[in-house]
């Protein structure tokens, strides 16, 4: 497929490495500029990024790179979130423990 | 045997550590802003960030010590971090428990100005049907004093509130009487253009410690262009009023707000100079809001968010230079954000609260008895959108108002901690959710953050503040602003 304004490009991720949720979050972040269609085929998460026809001089490689960085960031965020779930619950429980919100 | 254990007992080369909840957001290529669950923050390059998350950070490194001290990780020596973070978070959330502190009384819609950017649908100054009555005011006061907040601030707004002066006097007297029993920290503010201020008004304000909040858009020609009135003397009257009010009430009792119009964009230094010249200790550089006359007259669409940010950044740079030249002068929005970033305090600024401050931080009693979740919600209603009407003083109980679905749905849905993108954003602890803005501009309480003007504006401001903070001289100035909010 031609890479340029009005066309689309595909960036793939290995679903054994990245979660679909991490990819979706990254796609959402880019949604001011690009629409991303996500499909899971076998162990691949294929992301078709539509390049808007009204923007000239798109650096396609830069689009791919920035999307990959976003996915890597999302993946890191998931790792933090998973590892700290218990601590987050403990901190929030402590924070709300003296608020008087709960009644006997 | 030696009295002391060998040094090796104290320096474990690679201790295992656990992460504490934190988020990160890119500042620029390879540079990231990190914030923990209570808003403590730091800046890191990508490599140490990845090392941190992947547990590859050496426990003997300075980065490790910094991150441990700032509660991004904990090890065997520091599991007290959990309690500390909980305590910090509790302190930050404390104002929510206080509930509504700001009670806005729209005593009239009448105004003798005809500002094209007005966010309210003002009425001409002879239509008394747009005045609040004593009966409505009394019911509104009953509701206001049902708030559990130890601090009750009553702000009179309009229109031009001085056009309904007898009602202001009535409300102040009634509130003081109620407060003899209630013993709250009770304050009053009149938001006035000062064009009609008289000695009688000021004498009453002096007697009851009432503060004045006025509008000043910059130098004479700009102010008068933005704020037309018969006689074309809005600026002259405002300045005379400021000086007179200060004389009677004291310097600190008079504050001013500016609004950025398209005519302001190339004049930020002149606008700031005007505030300095008049002896103000700061300025709040504010964009136009998408409500009321600002939409009808297309004033709102005359510049975009990116252009306003250029204006803001230039203004901030100029203000920093003023400070570095020895004159303390604050940019108030930056100061509010910095107070959130650098202290456990929550300044309670409604636009930077999450859960949103609508209703639970401030509530509006309209001249006709309707109750709004925010001033902006009132402005939307004047344009026919009743989404943020949460009750009516004639028919609603306190419980009806503050459990209104129009209030609770907006607060719950817009909560930034669970909103798409906000929930991952490292600036979230210092930001807010603005369901009214997003409803007005994007059609729902949450909004689409990648295209949200609120989000883009605040993200850029956070980033520019963090950038300035990395400069030692700028940091000293920014730190000095924190206590002034």
């Amino acid at each position: 497929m031609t890479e340029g304004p009005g066309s689309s490009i595909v960036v793939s991720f290995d679903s054994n490495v990245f979660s679909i949720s991490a990819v979706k979050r990254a796609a959402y972040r880019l949604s001011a500029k690009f629409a991303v269609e996500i499909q899971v085929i076998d162990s691949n998460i294929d992301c078709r990024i539509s390049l808007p026809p009204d923007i000239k001089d798109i650096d396609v490689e830069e689009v791919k790179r920035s999307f990959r960085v976003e996915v890597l960031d999302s993946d890191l965020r998931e790792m933090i979130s998973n590892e700290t779930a218990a601590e987050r619950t403990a901190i929030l429980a402590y924070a709300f423990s003296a608020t008087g919100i709960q009644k006997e | 045997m030696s009295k002391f254990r060998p040094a090796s007992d104290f320096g474990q080369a690679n201790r295992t550590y656990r992460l504490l909840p934190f988020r990160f957001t890119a500042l620029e290529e390879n540079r990231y802003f990190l914030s923990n669950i209570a808003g403590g923050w730091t800046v890191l390059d990508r490599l140490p960030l990845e090392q941190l998350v992947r547990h590859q950070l050496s426990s003997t490194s300075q980065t490790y010590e910094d991150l441990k001290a700032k509660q991004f990780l904990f090890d065997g020596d520091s599991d007290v971090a959990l309690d500390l973070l909980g305590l910090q978070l509790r302190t930050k959330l404390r104002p929510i428990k206080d509930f509504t502190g700001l009670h806005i009384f729209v005593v009239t819609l009448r105004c003798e100005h005809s500002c094209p950017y007005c966010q309210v649908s003002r009425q001409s100054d002879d239509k008394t049907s747009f005045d609040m009555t004593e009966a409505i005011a009394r019911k509104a006061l009953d509701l206001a004093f049902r708030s559990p907040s130890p601090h009750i601030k009553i702000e009179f707004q309009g229109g031009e509130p001085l056009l309904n002066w007898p009602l202001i006097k009535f409300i102040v007297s009634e509130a003081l009487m109620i407060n003899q029993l209630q013993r709250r920290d009770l304050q009053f503010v009149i938001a006035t253009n000062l064009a009609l201020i008289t000695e009688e008004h000021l004498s009453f304000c002096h007697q009851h410690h009432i503060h004045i909040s006025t509008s000043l858009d910059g130098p004479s020609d700009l102010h008068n262009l933005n704020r037309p009135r018969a006689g074309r003397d809005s600026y002259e009257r405002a300045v005379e009023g400021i000086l007179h009010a200060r004389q009677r009430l004291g310097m600190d009792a008079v504050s001013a707000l500016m609004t950025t119009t398209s005519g302001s964009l190339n004049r930020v230094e002149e606008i700031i100079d005007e505030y300095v010249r008049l002896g103000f200790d700061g300025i709040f550089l504010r964009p136009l809001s998408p409500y009321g006359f600002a939409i009808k007259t297309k004033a709102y669409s005359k510049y975009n968010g990116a252009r306003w940010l250029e204006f803001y950044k230039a203004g901030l740079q100029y203000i920093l230079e003023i400070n570095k030249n020895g004159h303390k002068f604050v940019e108030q929005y930056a100061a509010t954000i910095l107070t959130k970033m650098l202290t456990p305090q929550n300044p309670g600024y409604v636009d930077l609260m999450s859960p949103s401050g609508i209703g639970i931080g401030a509530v509006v009693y309209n001249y006709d008895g309707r109750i709004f979740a925010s001033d902006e919600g009132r402005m939307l209603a004047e344009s026919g959108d009743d989404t943020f009407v949460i009750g009516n003083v004639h028919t609603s109980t306190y419980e009806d108002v503050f459990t209104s679905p129009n209030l609770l749905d907006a607060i719950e849905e817009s909560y930034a901690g669970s909103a798409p993108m906000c929930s991952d954003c490292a600036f979230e602890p210092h930001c807010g959710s603005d369901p009214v803005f997003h409803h007005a501009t994007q059609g729902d309480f949450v909004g689409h953050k990648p295209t949200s003007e609120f989000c883009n504006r605040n993200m850029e401001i956070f980033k520019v503040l963090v950038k300035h903070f990395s400069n030692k001289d700028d940091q000293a100035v920014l730190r000095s602003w924190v206590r002034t909010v």
Side-chain angles (χ1 to χ4, degrees), chain B residues 214-277:
Chain B
T214 194
S215 297
L216 184 70
D217 281 358
S220 170
D221 64 309
L222 178 62
H223 182 99
N224 283 336
L225 184 71
N226 286 350
R227 303 180 61 78
R229 73 183 301 278
R232 297 177 183 175
D233 58 353
S234 176
Y235 171 86
E236 289 71 19
R237 283 173 177 259
V239 170
E240 194 185 323
I242 288 166
L243 299 177
H244 192 184
R246 279 178 179 165
Q247 209 174 34
R248 296 288 280 115
L249 312 177
M251 282 293 282
D252 295 341
V254 185
S255 60
L257 285 172
M258 64 78 63
T259 301
T260 311
T261 61
S262 55
S264 318
L265 293 172
N266 293 320
R267 304 182 64 178
V268 70
E269 294 187 3
E270 287 175 74
I271 295 166
I272 293 164
D273 286 344
E274 184 69 22
Y275 272 70
V276 173
R277 187 182 71 78

Side-chain angles (χ1 to χ4, degrees), chain B residues 119 258-260 284-289 303 308 453 457:
Chain B
Q119 293 154 12
M258 64 78 63
T259 301
T260 311
F284 186 169
L285 296 172
R286 292 193 314 162
L288 271 172
S289 299
Y303 61 84
W308 183 82
E453 197 178 304
R457 182 174 68 232

